[in-house]
Amino acid sequence: MTQTTSSTAGAVESRDGTRIGYWKTGHGPAIVLLHGSMQSARSNSMLAAALADDFTVYLPDRRGRGLSGPHKPDHDLATEVDDLAAVVEASGAERVYGVSAGGLVVLEAARRLPAIRKVAAFEPALLTDGTRHTAWLSRFDAELARGDVAGALVTSMYGLELAPPFLKVMPRRLVAALTDRMMRSEDRKATPDASTMRKLAPTVHHEGVILAERADSVDLFADVRAEVLLMGGGKGLPFLAPGRDALAARLPHCRRVEFADLAHDAPCDPAGPSPRGKADMVDRVAREIRAFF
């Protein structure tokens, strides 16, 4: 792991027998950090390092990544909760954190798992606009099935409105070609165990499935009895902000924190060279999590 504290690998077995691997670091009460889309356990390394002096941090790989087993055809949000439950039970953790799709999973887990007492979520991917942000799934699946990984990733990027402004004015074919070149370059440099864009691409289908499953279902979270720290960024994904507003109004025990200058990926390790101020961004989020936990 790309962090200064030492870490060890471990694994548990989910309800359906799938291996869920994790990294473990630090000392103190157990917490679980769950990564988001197109990420792996290693994507929370900086955040784990910032919390390791106070907590024993568990970093699971969600299915299809790193240390964990593959997805199954019937994968859904309940599967994600079962996977997290296995880590929670083995670690004894009562505190969990998730970002983006991982944030949606930890909130759903708080509905179903009484053992979870506190939940922190950064820009959880709860949709409030029906199928608008999941209508790309069928095209994504078709492109992936014919081996057009770059095209599939571009489809999901546009479908989820993740494309930066300069890409929106470029021909789609050119964007796909640039994405393919980027993946080829990453493949050449990657270590055998690296979670590259090409390896992570199939997981995007399952992210779309769980986002669609829980879209327009915010009322269900009124059942959550755990305390919730709900975080977001002023430079985050605009289409996720209504979900946070709706959650804040329905969660019985909710504390809201908005970082005016942070983006959606602020708490996560950078995919490439660390940009200026990245450590400070992670530390700011870590301070809120530490105080809440």
Side-chain angles (χ1 to χ4, degrees):
M1 297 179 66
T2 54
Q3 59 186 61
T4 56
T5 52
S6 61
S7 59
T8 57
V12 293
E13 190 173 285
S14 191
R15 182 192 294 267
D16 66 0
T18 299
R19 171 191 168 96
I20 303 299
Y22 59 81
W23 294 99
K24 175 183 175 183
T25 187
H27 54 85
I31 62 174
V32 180
L33 308 185
L34 205 61
H35 62 79
S37 303
M38 286 298 287
Q39 294 182 342
S40 69
R42 297 176 185 271
S43 301
N44 279 326
S45 294
M46 292 178 69
L47 185 59
L51 295 169
D53 286 346
D54 299 292
F55 301 100
T56 301
V57 186
Y58 288 77
L59 298 153
D61 272 314
R62 292 168 60 209
R63 293 193 186 207
R65 305 153 172 96
L67 302 174
S68 293
H71 293 91
K72 295 186 178 180
D74 59 351
H75 186 91
D76 59 8
L77 199 50
T79 313
E80 296 271 358
V81 172
D82 285 344
D83 295 349
L84 178 58
V87 180
V88 165
E89 182 177 358
S91 65
E94 297 180 345
R95 306 164 178 86
V96 297
Y97 159 88
V99 58
S100 194
L104 178 63
V105 173
V106 298
L107 286 169
E108 182 70 14
R111 292 184 57 235
R112 304 180 185 222
L113 305 177
I116 295 177
R117 304 283 298 277
K118 290 192 173 186
V119 174
F122 192 93
E123 297 218 339
L126 178 65
L127 303 178
T128 57
D129 55 3
T131 62
R132 176 182 170 188
H133 288 96
T134 55
W136 50 270
L137 261 173
S138 59
R139 178 172 179 173
F140 174 92
D141 290 343
E143 289 168 331
L144 203 62
R146 64 173 181 261
D148 184 7
V149 179
L153 289 176
V154 171
T155 291
S156 65
M157 178 178 67
Y158 284 147
L160 289 168
E161 298 183 10
L162 302 177
F166 76 92
L167 287 184
K168 294 178 181 179
V169 299
M170 294 174 61
R172 191 182 190 283
R173 184 175 298 180
L174 177 57
V175 178
L178 291 173
T179 302
D180 184 65
R181 182 182 300 178
M182 187 185 308
M183 286 194 299
R184 290 177 186 274
S185 175
E186 183 185 40
D187 291 342
R188 287 194 298 269
K189 300 172 185 176
T191 59
D193 64 339
S195 295
T196 61
M197 291 173 65
R198 193 178 304 278
K199 290 180 182 178
L200 290 172
T203 68
V204 175
H205 163 85
H206 303 282
E207 303 295 77
V209 167
I210 66 171
L211 264 62
E213 179 183 348
R214 193 48 78 235
D216 298 326
S217 300
V218 69
D219 288 342
L220 292 175
F221 293 96
D223 295 340
V224 173
R225 292 293 170 252
E227 296 178 55
V228 177
L229 172 62
L230 190 59
M231 297 175 285
K235 295 182 179 179
L237 300 181
F239 68 89
L240 295 182
R244 292 200 301 283
D245 292 339
L247 282 167
R250 289 165 177 80
L251 288 166
H253 312 288
C254 180
R255 179 183 173 214
R256 182 87 177 266
V257 175
E258 292 288 322
F259 302 89
D261 57 336
L262 294 190
H264 184 67
D265 62 350
C268 310
D269 287 28
S274 183
R276 170 181 276 182
K278 183 62 176 180
D280 178 64
M281 297 178 201
V282 174
D283 284 343
R284 288 168 61 192
V285 176
R287 284 196 295 270
E288 293 291 340
I289 295 172
R290 183 185 298 108
F292 176 68
F293 282 168

Short mmCIF file of all heavy atoms in Angstrom, two decimals, residues 60-99:
data_model
loop_
_atom_site.label_atom_id
_atom_site.label_comp_id
_atom_site.label_asym_id
_atom_site.label_seq_id
_atom_site.Cartn_x
_atom_site.Cartn_y
_atom_site.Cartn_z
N PRO A 60 -11.31 -3.00 2.72
CA PRO A 60 -11.68 -4.11 1.87
C PRO A 60 -11.66 -3.74 0.38
O PRO A 60 -11.96 -2.60 0.02
CB PRO A 60 -13.11 -4.44 2.31
CG PRO A 60 -13.57 -3.34 3.17
CD PRO A 60 -12.44 -2.43 3.45
N ASP A 61 -11.30 -4.71 -0.43
CA ASP A 61 -11.51 -4.61 -1.87
C ASP A 61 -12.94 -5.08 -2.14
O ASP A 61 -13.30 -6.21 -1.80
CB ASP A 61 -10.55 -5.52 -2.63
CG ASP A 61 -9.22 -4.86 -2.95
OD1 ASP A 61 -9.23 -3.71 -3.41
OD2 ASP A 61 -8.18 -5.50 -2.74
N ARG A 62 -13.75 -4.22 -2.73
CA ARG A 62 -15.07 -4.68 -3.15
C ARG A 62 -14.90 -5.69 -4.29
O ARG A 62 -13.85 -5.78 -4.91
CB ARG A 62 -15.92 -3.48 -3.57
CG ARG A 62 -16.28 -2.57 -2.39
CD ARG A 62 -16.88 -1.25 -2.83
NE ARG A 62 -18.09 -1.46 -3.59
CZ ARG A 62 -18.52 -0.62 -4.53
NH1 ARG A 62 -17.81 0.46 -4.86
NH2 ARG A 62 -19.64 -0.86 -5.18
N ARG A 63 -15.90 -6.49 -4.56
CA ARG A 63 -15.79 -7.59 -5.53
C ARG A 63 -15.22 -7.13 -6.88
O ARG A 63 -15.48 -6.01 -7.32
CB ARG A 63 -17.15 -8.23 -5.76
CG ARG A 63 -17.67 -8.95 -4.56
CD ARG A 63 -18.84 -9.84 -4.91
NE ARG A 63 -19.41 -10.40 -3.67
CZ ARG A 63 -20.06 -11.53 -3.60
NH1 ARG A 63 -20.24 -12.26 -4.70
NH2 ARG A 63 -20.54 -11.97 -2.45
N GLY A 64 -14.47 -8.04 -7.48
CA GLY A 64 -13.92 -7.77 -8.79
C GLY A 64 -12.63 -6.98 -8.77
O GLY A 64 -12.12 -6.59 -9.82
N ARG A 65 -12.06 -6.78 -7.58
CA ARG A 65 -10.87 -5.96 -7.44
C ARG A 65 -9.87 -6.63 -6.51
O ARG A 65 -10.24 -7.29 -5.55
CB ARG A 65 -11.23 -4.59 -6.85
CG ARG A 65 -12.30 -3.82 -7.62
CD ARG A 65 -13.03 -2.90 -6.68
NE ARG A 65 -13.94 -1.99 -7.33
CZ ARG A 65 -15.25 -2.21 -7.48
NH1 ARG A 65 -15.78 -3.33 -7.04
NH2 ARG A 65 -16.01 -1.31 -8.06
N GLY A 66 -8.60 -6.40 -6.80
CA GLY A 66 -7.54 -6.74 -5.87
C GLY A 66 -7.62 -8.08 -5.20
O GLY A 66 -7.55 -9.13 -5.84
N LEU A 67 -7.80 -8.06 -3.88
CA LEU A 67 -7.76 -9.26 -3.06
C LEU A 67 -9.07 -10.04 -3.03
O LEU A 67 -9.13 -11.11 -2.45
CB LEU A 67 -7.39 -8.88 -1.62
CG LEU A 67 -6.05 -8.16 -1.40
CD1 LEU A 67 -5.92 -7.74 0.07
CD2 LEU A 67 -4.89 -9.05 -1.81
N SER A 68 -10.12 -9.50 -3.63
CA SER A 68 -11.45 -10.10 -3.50
C SER A 68 -11.84 -10.91 -4.74
O SER A 68 -11.27 -10.76 -5.82
CB SER A 68 -12.50 -9.03 -3.23
OG SER A 68 -12.31 -8.46 -1.95
N GLY A 69 -12.86 -11.76 -4.55
CA GLY A 69 -13.34 -12.62 -5.62
C GLY A 69 -14.21 -11.87 -6.61
O GLY A 69 -14.47 -10.68 -6.47
N PRO A 70 -14.71 -12.58 -7.62
CA PRO A 70 -15.47 -11.94 -8.71
C PRO A 70 -16.93 -11.68 -8.36
O PRO A 70 -17.48 -12.25 -7.41
CB PRO A 70 -15.36 -12.97 -9.83
CG PRO A 70 -15.31 -14.29 -9.10
CD PRO A 70 -14.51 -14.02 -7.85
N HIS A 71 -17.55 -10.83 -9.20
CA HIS A 71 -18.98 -10.63 -9.11
C HIS A 71 -19.69 -11.89 -9.60
O HIS A 71 -19.14 -12.67 -10.37
CB HIS A 71 -19.42 -9.45 -9.99
CG HIS A 71 -18.93 -8.13 -9.52
ND1 HIS A 71 -17.75 -7.58 -9.94
CD2 HIS A 71 -19.47 -7.23 -8.66
CE1 HIS A 71 -17.57 -6.40 -9.37
NE2 HIS A 71 -18.60 -6.17 -8.58
N LYS A 72 -20.94 -12.04 -9.17
CA LYS A 72 -21.80 -13.09 -9.69
C LYS A 72 -22.95 -12.44 -10.45
O LYS A 72 -23.23 -11.25 -10.25
CB LYS A 72 -22.30 -13.98 -8.55
CG LYS A 72 -21.15 -14.76 -7.88
CD LYS A 72 -21.64 -15.74 -6.85
CE LYS A 72 -20.45 -16.52 -6.27
NZ LYS A 72 -20.88 -17.51 -5.25
N PRO A 73 -23.62 -13.18 -11.33
CA PRO A 73 -24.65 -12.56 -12.17
C PRO A 73 -25.76 -11.86 -11.41
O PRO A 73 -26.33 -10.88 -11.91
CB PRO A 73 -25.21 -13.76 -12.97
CG PRO A 73 -24.07 -14.73 -13.01
CD PRO A 73 -23.38 -14.59 -11.69
N ASP A 74 -26.10 -12.32 -10.22
CA ASP A 74 -27.20 -11.73 -9.46
C ASP A 74 -26.72 -10.66 -8.47
O ASP A 74 -27.43 -10.32 -7.52
CB ASP A 74 -27.99 -12.81 -8.73
CG ASP A 74 -27.12 -13.61 -7.75
OD1 ASP A 74 -25.88 -13.44 -7.77
OD2 ASP A 74 -27.69 -14.38 -6.96
N HIS A 75 -25.54 -10.11 -8.70
CA HIS A 75 -24.98 -9.11 -7.79
C HIS A 75 -25.93 -7.92 -7.64
O HIS A 75 -26.42 -7.37 -8.64
CB HIS A 75 -23.63 -8.63 -8.33
CG HIS A 75 -22.91 -7.70 -7.40
ND1 HIS A 75 -22.02 -8.15 -6.45
CD2 HIS A 75 -22.96 -6.36 -7.25
CE1 HIS A 75 -21.53 -7.13 -5.78
NE2 HIS A 75 -22.09 -6.02 -6.25
N ASP A 76 -26.18 -7.52 -6.41
CA ASP A 76 -27.03 -6.36 -6.14
C ASP A 76 -26.58 -5.68 -4.86
O ASP A 76 -25.52 -6.02 -4.30
CB ASP A 76 -28.51 -6.77 -6.06
CG ASP A 76 -28.80 -7.81 -4.98
OD1 ASP A 76 -27.89 -8.11 -4.16
OD2 ASP A 76 -29.95 -8.31 -4.93
N LEU A 77 -27.37 -4.74 -4.39
CA LEU A 77 -27.00 -3.98 -3.20
C LEU A 77 -26.94 -4.88 -1.96
O LEU A 77 -26.08 -4.69 -1.09
CB LEU A 77 -27.98 -2.83 -2.99
CG LEU A 77 -27.55 -1.68 -2.08
CD1 LEU A 77 -26.18 -1.13 -2.46
CD2 LEU A 77 -28.60 -0.57 -2.12
N ALA A 78 -27.81 -5.89 -1.89
CA ALA A 78 -27.78 -6.82 -0.76
C ALA A 78 -26.45 -7.59 -0.74
O ALA A 78 -25.92 -7.88 0.34
CB ALA A 78 -28.96 -7.79 -0.85
N THR A 79 -25.92 -7.91 -1.93
CA THR A 79 -24.63 -8.59 -2.00
C THR A 79 -23.54 -7.71 -1.42
O THR A 79 -22.66 -8.16 -0.68
CB THR A 79 -24.27 -8.94 -3.46
OG1 THR A 79 -25.39 -9.54 -4.09
CG2 THR A 79 -23.08 -9.87 -3.52
N GLU A 80 -23.56 -6.44 -1.79
CA GLU A 80 -22.57 -5.49 -1.27
C GLU A 80 -22.64 -5.40 0.25
O GLU A 80 -21.61 -5.36 0.93
CB GLU A 80 -22.81 -4.10 -1.88
CG GLU A 80 -22.64 -4.00 -3.38
CD GLU A 80 -21.22 -3.69 -3.80
OE1 GLU A 80 -20.35 -3.50 -2.92
OE2 GLU A 80 -20.99 -3.61 -5.02
N VAL A 81 -23.85 -5.39 0.78
CA VAL A 81 -24.02 -5.33 2.24
C VAL A 81 -23.51 -6.62 2.88
O VAL A 81 -22.86 -6.58 3.94
CB VAL A 81 -25.49 -5.08 2.61
CG1 VAL A 81 -25.70 -5.20 4.12
CG2 VAL A 81 -25.93 -3.69 2.14
N ASP A 82 -23.77 -7.77 2.26
CA ASP A 82 -23.26 -9.04 2.80
C ASP A 82 -21.74 -9.03 2.86
O ASP A 82 -21.14 -9.51 3.84
CB ASP A 82 -23.72 -10.20 1.93
CG ASP A 82 -25.19 -10.55 2.11
OD1 ASP A 82 -25.79 -10.11 3.12
OD2 ASP A 82 -25.73 -11.26 1.24
N ASP A 83 -21.11 -8.49 1.81
CA ASP A 83 -19.65 -8.43 1.78
C ASP A 83 -19.11 -7.55 2.90
O ASP A 83 -18.15 -7.91 3.60
CB ASP A 83 -19.16 -7.90 0.42
CG ASP A 83 -19.51 -8.83 -0.73
OD1 ASP A 83 -19.93 -9.97 -0.48
OD2 ASP A 83 -19.35 -8.40 -1.89
N LEU A 84 -19.72 -6.39 3.07
CA LEU A 84 -19.31 -5.49 4.14
C LEU A 84 -19.59 -6.11 5.51
O LEU A 84 -18.77 -5.99 6.44
CB LEU A 84 -20.03 -4.14 4.01
CG LEU A 84 -19.75 -3.10 5.09
CD1 LEU A 84 -18.27 -2.76 5.17
CD2 LEU A 84 -20.58 -1.83 4.83
N ALA A 85 -20.71 -6.79 5.63
CA ALA A 85 -21.08 -7.43 6.91
C ALA A 85 -20.03 -8.44 7.34
O ALA A 85 -19.73 -8.56 8.54
CB ALA A 85 -22.45 -8.10 6.79
N ALA A 86 -19.47 -9.16 6.39
CA ALA A 86 -18.45 -10.15 6.73
C ALA A 86 -17.21 -9.49 7.32
O ALA A 86 -16.61 -10.00 8.27
CB ALA A 86 -18.07 -10.96 5.48
N VAL A 87 -16.83 -8.33 6.77
CA VAL A 87 -15.67 -7.59 7.29
C VAL A 87 -16.01 -6.98 8.65
O VAL A 87 -15.20 -7.01 9.59
CB VAL A 87 -15.23 -6.49 6.30
CG1 VAL A 87 -14.03 -5.73 6.85
CG2 VAL A 87 -14.89 -7.10 4.94
N VAL A 88 -17.21 -6.44 8.79
CA VAL A 88 -17.64 -5.84 10.06
C VAL A 88 -17.64 -6.89 11.17
O VAL A 88 -17.16 -6.65 12.28
CB VAL A 88 -19.04 -5.22 9.90
CG1 VAL A 88 -19.66 -4.92 11.26
CG2 VAL A 88 -18.96 -3.94 9.07
N GLU A 89 -18.15 -8.07 10.86
CA GLU A 89 -18.21 -9.13 11.88
C GLU A 89 -16.81 -9.58 12.29
O GLU A 89 -16.52 -9.77 13.47
CB GLU A 89 -19.01 -10.31 11.35
CG GLU A 89 -19.15 -11.44 12.36
CD GLU A 89 -20.00 -12.58 11.86
OE1 GLU A 89 -20.52 -12.50 10.74
OE2 GLU A 89 -20.14 -13.57 12.62
N ALA A 90 -15.93 -9.77 11.30
CA ALA A 90 -14.58 -10.26 11.61
C ALA A 90 -13.76 -9.24 12.37
O ALA A 90 -12.95 -9.59 13.23
CB ALA A 90 -13.87 -10.64 10.31
N SER A 91 -13.97 -7.96 12.07
CA SER A 91 -13.18 -6.90 12.69
C SER A 91 -13.76 -6.40 13.99
O SER A 91 -13.07 -5.79 14.81
CB SER A 91 -13.05 -5.72 11.72
OG SER A 91 -14.33 -5.12 11.48
N GLY A 92 -15.07 -6.62 14.19
CA GLY A 92 -15.75 -6.04 15.34
C GLY A 92 -16.03 -4.56 15.18
O GLY A 92 -16.37 -3.88 16.15
N ALA A 93 -15.93 -4.05 13.96
CA ALA A 93 -16.12 -2.62 13.72
C ALA A 93 -17.57 -2.20 13.94
O ALA A 93 -18.50 -2.89 13.50
CB ALA A 93 -15.68 -2.26 12.31
N GLU A 94 -17.75 -1.08 14.60
CA GLU A 94 -19.06 -0.45 14.73
C GLU A 94 -19.14 0.84 13.93
O GLU A 94 -20.19 1.46 13.87
CB GLU A 94 -19.34 -0.13 16.20
CG GLU A 94 -19.40 -1.36 17.10
CD GLU A 94 -19.69 -1.00 18.55
OE1 GLU A 94 -19.56 0.19 18.92
OE2 GLU A 94 -20.06 -1.91 19.32
N ARG A 95 -18.01 1.19 13.28
CA ARG A 95 -17.90 2.46 12.55
C ARG A 95 -17.46 2.15 11.12
O ARG A 95 -16.47 1.44 10.92
CB ARG A 95 -16.89 3.39 13.21
CG ARG A 95 -17.13 3.65 14.70
CD ARG A 95 -15.87 4.23 15.34
NE ARG A 95 -16.02 4.57 16.74
CZ ARG A 95 -15.83 3.70 17.74
NH1 ARG A 95 -15.49 2.45 17.48
NH2 ARG A 95 -15.98 4.08 19.00
N VAL A 96 -18.17 2.70 10.14
CA VAL A 96 -17.83 2.46 8.74
C VAL A 96 -17.88 3.77 7.97
O VAL A 96 -18.63 4.69 8.32
CB VAL A 96 -18.76 1.42 8.09
CG1 VAL A 96 -18.62 0.06 8.76
CG2 VAL A 96 -20.21 1.89 8.10
N TYR A 97 -17.07 3.82 6.92
CA TYR A 97 -17.01 4.99 6.05
C TYR A 97 -17.06 4.52 4.60
O TYR A 97 -16.52 3.47 4.25
CB TYR A 97 -15.70 5.75 6.29
CG TYR A 97 -15.29 6.66 5.14
CD1 TYR A 97 -15.74 7.98 5.06
CD2 TYR A 97 -14.45 6.19 4.12
CE1 TYR A 97 -15.37 8.79 4.00
CE2 TYR A 97 -14.06 7.01 3.07
CZ TYR A 97 -14.53 8.31 3.01
OH TYR A 97 -14.17 9.11 1.97
N GLY A 98 -17.71 5.31 3.74
CA GLY A 98 -17.71 5.01 2.32
C GLY A 98 -17.77 6.27 1.49
O GLY A 98 -18.29 7.30 1.93
N VAL A 99 -17.23 6.19 0.28
CA VAL A 99 -17.22 7.32 -0.64
C VAL A 99 -17.94 6.92 -1.92
O VAL A 99 -17.80 5.79 -2.39
CB VAL A 99 -15.79 7.80 -0.95
CG1 VAL A 99 -14.94 6.68 -1.54
CG2 VAL A 99 -15.78 9.02 -1.86
#
